[in-house]
Structures are given as C-alpha cells and as structure tokens.
CSV table of all heavy atoms in Angstrom, one decimal:
chain,number,residue,atom,x,y,z
A,12,GLU,N,108.3,-67.0,102.5
A,12,GLU,CA,109.2,-66.3,103.4
A,12,GLU,C,109.0,-66.6,104.8
A,12,GLU,O,109.9,-66.7,105.6
A,12,GLU,CB,109.1,-64.7,103.1
A,12,GLU,CG,109.9,-64.2,101.9
A,12,GLU,CD,111.3,-64.7,101.9
A,12,GLU,OE1,112.0,-64.5,103.0
A,12,GLU,OE2,111.8,-65.2,100.9
A,13,GLU,N,107.7,-66.8,105.2
A,13,GLU,CA,107.4,-67.1,106.6
A,13,GLU,C,107.8,-68.6,106.9
A,13,GLU,O,108.3,-68.8,108.0
A,13,GLU,CB,105.9,-67.0,106.8
A,13,GLU,CG,105.4,-65.6,106.8
A,13,GLU,CD,103.9,-65.4,107.1
A,13,GLU,OE1,103.3,-66.5,107.2
A,13,GLU,OE2,103.4,-64.3,107.1
A,14,GLU,N,107.7,-69.4,105.9
A,14,GLU,CA,108.2,-70.8,106.1
A,14,GLU,C,109.7,-70.9,106.2
A,14,GLU,O,110.2,-71.6,107.1
A,14,GLU,CB,107.7,-71.7,104.9
A,14,GLU,CG,107.9,-73.2,105.2
A,14,GLU,CD,107.1,-74.0,104.2
A,14,GLU,OE1,106.4,-73.4,103.3
A,14,GLU,OE2,107.3,-75.2,104.2
A,15,VAL,N,110.4,-70.0,105.5
A,15,VAL,CA,111.8,-69.9,105.7
A,15,VAL,C,112.2,-69.4,107.0
A,15,VAL,O,113.1,-69.9,107.7
A,15,VAL,CB,112.4,-69.0,104.6
A,15,VAL,CG1,113.9,-68.7,104.9
A,15,VAL,CG2,112.3,-69.6,103.2
A,16,GLU,N,111.4,-68.4,107.5
A,16,GLU,CA,111.6,-67.9,108.9
A,16,GLU,C,111.4,-69.0,109.9
A,16,GLU,O,112.1,-69.0,111.0
A,16,GLU,CB,110.7,-66.7,109.1
A,16,GLU,CG,110.9,-66.0,110.5
A,16,GLU,CD,112.3,-65.5,110.7
A,16,GLU,OE1,113.0,-65.2,109.7
A,16,GLU,OE2,112.7,-65.3,111.9
A,17,VAL,N,110.4,-69.9,109.7
A,17,VAL,CA,110.2,-71.0,110.7
A,17,VAL,C,111.5,-71.8,110.8
A,17,VAL,O,111.9,-72.2,111.8
A,17,VAL,CB,109.0,-71.8,110.2
A,17,VAL,CG1,108.9,-73.1,111.0
A,17,VAL,CG2,107.7,-71.0,110.3
A,18,LEU,N,112.1,-72.1,109.6
A,18,LEU,CA,113.3,-72.9,109.6
A,18,LEU,C,114.5,-72.2,110.3
A,18,LEU,O,115.3,-72.8,111.0
A,18,LEU,CB,113.7,-73.3,108.2
A,18,LEU,CG,112.6,-74.1,107.4
A,18,LEU,CD1,113.1,-74.4,106.0
A,18,LEU,CD2,112.1,-75.3,108.1
A,19,ARG,N,114.6,-70.9,110.0
A,19,ARG,CA,115.7,-70.1,110.6
A,19,ARG,C,115.5,-70.2,112.2
A,19,ARG,O,116.5,-70.4,112.9
A,19,ARG,CB,115.6,-68.6,110.2
A,19,ARG,CG,116.0,-68.3,108.8
A,19,ARG,CD,116.3,-66.9,108.6
A,19,ARG,NE,116.4,-66.5,107.2
A,19,ARG,CZ,115.5,-65.9,106.5
A,19,ARG,NH1,114.3,-65.6,107.1
A,19,ARG,NH2,115.7,-65.6,105.2
A,20,ARG,N,114.3,-70.0,112.7
A,20,ARG,CA,114.2,-70.0,114.1
A,20,ARG,C,114.4,-71.4,114.7
A,20,ARG,O,114.9,-71.5,115.8
A,20,ARG,CB,112.7,-69.5,114.5
A,20,ARG,CG,112.5,-68.1,114.1
A,20,ARG,CD,111.2,-67.6,114.7
A,20,ARG,NE,110.8,-66.2,114.2
A,20,ARG,CZ,109.8,-65.5,114.6
A,20,ARG,NH1,109.0,-66.0,115.6
A,20,ARG,NH2,109.6,-64.3,114.1
A,21,ARG,N,114.1,-72.4,114.0
A,21,ARG,CA,114.4,-73.8,114.4
A,21,ARG,C,115.9,-74.0,114.6
A,21,ARG,O,116.4,-74.6,115.5
A,21,ARG,CB,113.7,-74.8,113.5
A,21,ARG,CG,114.1,-76.3,113.8
A,21,ARG,CD,113.6,-76.7,115.2
A,21,ARG,NE,114.0,-78.0,115.5
A,21,ARG,CZ,115.2,-78.3,116.0
A,21,ARG,NH1,116.1,-77.4,116.3
A,21,ARG,NH2,115.5,-79.6,116.3
A,22,ILE,N,116.6,-73.5,113.6
A,22,ILE,CA,118.1,-73.6,113.6
A,22,ILE,C,118.6,-72.8,114.8
A,22,ILE,O,119.5,-73.3,115.6
A,22,ILE,CB,118.7,-73.2,112.3
A,22,ILE,CG1,118.3,-74.1,111.2
A,22,ILE,CG2,120.2,-73.1,112.4
A,22,ILE,CD1,118.8,-73.6,109.8
A,23,ALA,N,118.2,-71.6,115.0
A,23,ALA,CA,118.7,-70.8,116.1
A,23,ALA,C,118.3,-71.3,117.5
A,23,ALA,O,119.1,-71.2,118.4
A,23,ALA,CB,118.1,-69.3,115.9
A,24,ARG,N,117.2,-72.0,117.6
A,24,ARG,CA,116.7,-72.5,118.8
A,24,ARG,C,117.5,-73.8,119.3
A,24,ARG,O,117.7,-74.0,120.4
A,24,ARG,CB,115.2,-72.9,118.7
A,24,ARG,CG,114.5,-73.1,120.0
A,24,ARG,CD,113.0,-73.1,119.9
A,24,ARG,NE,112.5,-74.1,118.9
A,24,ARG,CZ,111.9,-73.9,117.8
A,24,ARG,NH1,111.6,-72.6,117.5
A,24,ARG,NH2,111.4,-74.8,117.0
A,25,GLN,N,118.0,-74.5,118.3
A,25,GLN,CA,118.8,-75.7,118.5
A,25,GLN,C,118.1,-76.8,119.3
A,25,GLN,O,118.7,-77.6,120.0
A,25,GLN,CB,120.2,-75.4,119.2
A,25,GLN,CG,121.0,-74.4,118.4
A,25,GLN,CD,122.4,-74.2,119.0
A,25,GLN,OE1,122.6,-74.5,120.1
A,25,GLN,NE2,123.3,-73.5,118.3
A,26,ARG,N,116.8,-76.8,119.3
A,26,ARG,CA,116.0,-77.9,119.9
A,26,ARG,C,114.6,-77.8,119.4
A,26,ARG,O,114.2,-76.8,118.8
A,26,ARG,CB,116.0,-77.7,121.5
A,26,ARG,CG,115.3,-76.5,122.0
A,26,ARG,CD,115.4,-76.4,123.5
A,26,ARG,NE,114.6,-75.3,124.0
A,26,ARG,CZ,115.0,-74.0,124.1
A,26,ARG,NH1,116.3,-73.8,123.7
A,26,ARG,NH2,114.3,-73.1,124.6
A,27,GLU,N,113.9,-78.9,119.5
A,27,GLU,CA,112.5,-78.9,119.0
A,27,GLU,C,111.5,-78.2,119.9
A,27,GLU,O,110.7,-77.5,119.4
A,27,GLU,CB,112.1,-80.4,118.8
A,27,GLU,CG,110.8,-80.5,118.1
A,27,GLU,CD,110.8,-80.0,116.6
A,27,GLU,OE1,111.9,-80.0,116.0
A,27,GLU,OE2,109.8,-79.5,116.2
A,28,GLU,N,111.6,-78.4,121.2
A,28,GLU,CA,110.6,-77.9,122.1
A,28,GLU,C,110.8,-76.4,122.2
A,28,GLU,O,111.9,-75.8,122.1
A,28,GLU,CB,110.6,-78.6,123.4
A,28,GLU,CG,111.9,-78.3,124.2
A,28,GLU,CD,113.0,-79.3,123.9
A,28,GLU,OE1,112.9,-80.0,122.9
A,28,GLU,OE2,114.0,-79.2,124.5
A,29,THR,N,109.7,-75.7,122.5
A,29,THR,CA,109.7,-74.3,122.8
A,29,THR,C,109.1,-74.0,124.2
A,29,THR,O,108.1,-74.6,124.6
A,29,THR,CB,108.9,-73.5,121.7
A,29,THR,OG1,107.5,-74.0,121.8
A,29,THR,CG2,109.5,-73.7,120.4
A,30,VAL,N,109.7,-73.1,124.9
A,30,VAL,CA,109.2,-72.7,126.2
A,30,VAL,C,109.1,-71.2,126.3
A,30,VAL,O,110.1,-70.5,126.0
A,30,VAL,CB,110.1,-73.2,127.3
A,30,VAL,CG1,109.6,-72.8,128.7
A,30,VAL,CG2,110.3,-74.7,127.3
A,31,LEU,N,107.9,-70.7,126.6
A,31,LEU,CA,107.7,-69.3,126.7
A,31,LEU,C,107.4,-68.8,128.2
A,31,LEU,O,106.8,-69.6,128.9
A,31,LEU,CB,106.5,-68.9,125.9
A,31,LEU,CG,106.6,-69.1,124.4
A,31,LEU,CD1,105.3,-68.7,123.6
A,31,LEU,CD2,107.8,-68.3,123.8
A,32,ALA,N,107.9,-67.7,128.5
A,32,ALA,CA,107.7,-67.1,129.9
A,32,ALA,C,106.2,-66.6,129.9
A,32,ALA,O,105.8,-65.9,128.9
A,32,ALA,CB,108.7,-66.1,130.2
A,33,PRO,N,105.5,-66.8,131.0
A,33,PRO,CA,104.1,-66.3,131.1
A,33,PRO,C,104.1,-64.8,131.1
A,33,PRO,O,104.9,-64.2,131.8
A,33,PRO,CB,103.6,-66.9,132.4
A,33,PRO,CG,104.8,-67.3,133.2
A,33,PRO,CD,105.9,-67.6,132.2
A,34,VAL,N,103.2,-64.2,130.4
A,34,VAL,CA,103.0,-62.7,130.5
A,34,VAL,C,102.0,-62.4,131.6
A,34,VAL,O,102.2,-61.4,132.3
A,34,VAL,CB,102.5,-62.2,129.1
A,34,VAL,CG1,102.2,-60.7,129.1
A,34,VAL,CG2,103.4,-62.6,128.0
A,35,ILE,N,101.0,-63.1,131.7
A,35,ILE,CA,100.0,-63.0,132.8
A,35,ILE,C,99.8,-64.3,133.5
A,35,ILE,O,100.4,-65.3,133.1
A,35,ILE,CB,98.7,-62.4,132.3
A,35,ILE,CG1,98.0,-63.3,131.3
A,35,ILE,CG2,98.9,-61.0,131.7
A,35,ILE,CD1,96.7,-62.8,130.8
A,36,ASP,N,98.9,-64.4,134.5
A,36,ASP,CA,98.6,-65.7,135.1
A,36,ASP,C,97.1,-65.9,135.0
A,36,ASP,O,96.3,-65.0,134.5
A,36,ASP,CB,99.1,-65.8,136.5
A,36,ASP,CG,98.5,-64.7,137.4
A,36,ASP,OD1,97.5,-64.0,137.0
A,36,ASP,OD2,99.1,-64.4,138.4
A,37,ALA,N,96.6,-67.0,135.5
A,37,ALA,CA,95.2,-67.4,135.4
A,37,ALA,C,94.3,-66.4,136.2
A,37,ALA,O,93.2,-66.1,135.7
A,37,ALA,CB,95.0,-68.8,136.0
A,38,THR,N,94.8,-65.9,137.3
A,38,THR,CA,94.0,-64.9,138.0
A,38,THR,C,93.8,-63.6,137.3
A,38,THR,O,92.7,-63.1,137.2
A,38,THR,CB,94.7,-64.6,139.4
A,38,THR,OG1,94.8,-65.8,140.1
A,38,THR,CG2,93.9,-63.6,140.2
A,39,ARG,N,94.9,-63.2,136.6
A,39,ARG,CA,94.8,-61.9,135.8
A,39,ARG,C,93.9,-62.2,134.6
A,39,ARG,O,93.1,-61.3,134.2
A,39,ARG,CB,96.2,-61.5,135.4
A,39,ARG,CG,96.2,-60.2,134.6
A,39,ARG,CD,95.5,-59.1,135.2
A,39,ARG,NE,95.5,-57.8,134.4
A,39,ARG,CZ,94.7,-56.8,134.6
A,39,ARG,NH1,93.8,-56.9,135.6
A,39,ARG,NH2,94.8,-55.8,133.9
A,40,LEU,N,94.0,-63.3,134.0
A,40,LEU,CA,93.1,-63.6,132.8
A,40,LEU,C,91.7,-63.6,133.2
A,40,LEU,O,90.8,-63.0,132.5
A,40,LEU,CB,93.5,-65.0,132.3
A,40,LEU,CG,92.6,-65.5,131.1
A,40,LEU,CD1,92.6,-64.5,129.9
A,40,LEU,CD2,93.0,-66.9,130.7
A,41,ALA,N,91.3,-64.1,134.4
A,41,ALA,CA,89.9,-64.0,134.9
A,41,ALA,C,89.5,-62.6,135.1
A,41,ALA,O,88.4,-62.2,134.8
A,41,ALA,CB,89.8,-64.8,136.2
A,42,GLU,N,90.4,-61.7,135.6
A,42,GLU,CA,90.1,-60.3,135.7
A,42,GLU,C,89.8,-59.6,134.4
A,42,GLU,O,88.9,-58.8,134.2
A,42,GLU,CB,91.2,-59.6,136.5
A,42,GLU,CG,91.4,-60.1,137.9
A,42,GLU,CD,92.6,-59.5,138.6
A,42,GLU,OE1,93.4,-58.8,137.8
A,42,GLU,OE2,92.8,-59.7,139.8
A,43,LEU,N,90.7,-60.0,133.4
A,43,LEU,CA,90.5,-59.4,132.1
A,43,LEU,C,89.1,-59.8,131.5
A,43,LEU,O,88.4,-59.0,130.8
A,43,LEU,CB,91.6,-59.8,131.1
A,43,LEU,CG,93.0,-59.4,131.6
A,43,LEU,CD1,94.1,-59.8,130.5
A,43,LEU,CD2,93.1,-57.9,131.8
A,44,GLN,N,88.8,-61.1,131.7
A,44,GLN,CA,87.5,-61.6,131.1
A,44,GLN,C,86.3,-60.9,131.8
A,44,GLN,O,85.3,-60.6,131.1
A,44,GLN,CB,87.4,-63.1,131.4
A,44,GLN,CG,88.4,-63.9,130.5
A,44,GLN,CD,88.5,-65.4,130.9
A,44,GLN,OE1,88.1,-65.8,132.0
A,44,GLN,NE2,88.9,-66.2,129.9
A,45,ALA,N,86.5,-60.6,133.1
A,45,ALA,CA,85.4,-59.9,133.8
A,45,ALA,C,85.2,-58.5,133.3
A,45,ALA,O,84.1,-57.9,133.2
A,45,ALA,CB,85.6,-59.9,135.3
A,46,THR,N,86.4,-57.9,132.8
A,46,THR,CA,86.4,-56.5,132.3
A,46,THR,C,85.5,-56.4,131.1
A,46,THR,O,84.9,-55.3,130.8
A,46,THR,CB,87.8,-56.0,132.1
A,46,THR,OG1,88.5,-56.1,133.3
A,46,THR,CG2,87.8,-54.6,131.6
C-alpha cells in the first residue's frame, strides 16, 4: 500500500524532483541542538 502511495504521489507531482519549504534554518537547528 505504501508503494502504491509512492506511485500516486509521483503522478500527482507531475515531475521527478521534489522541493520542500524549510521549516527551520541552520541557526535555529543549532539552538535546538544546544537545548
């Protein structure tokens, strides 16, 4: 079922590459690591 979902998302995306918006940045990651 998960493999089928991979194919569904590939069809919906209509391209091979994927681009995600950043949730945090490198500075914030360093702060989380210090915590």
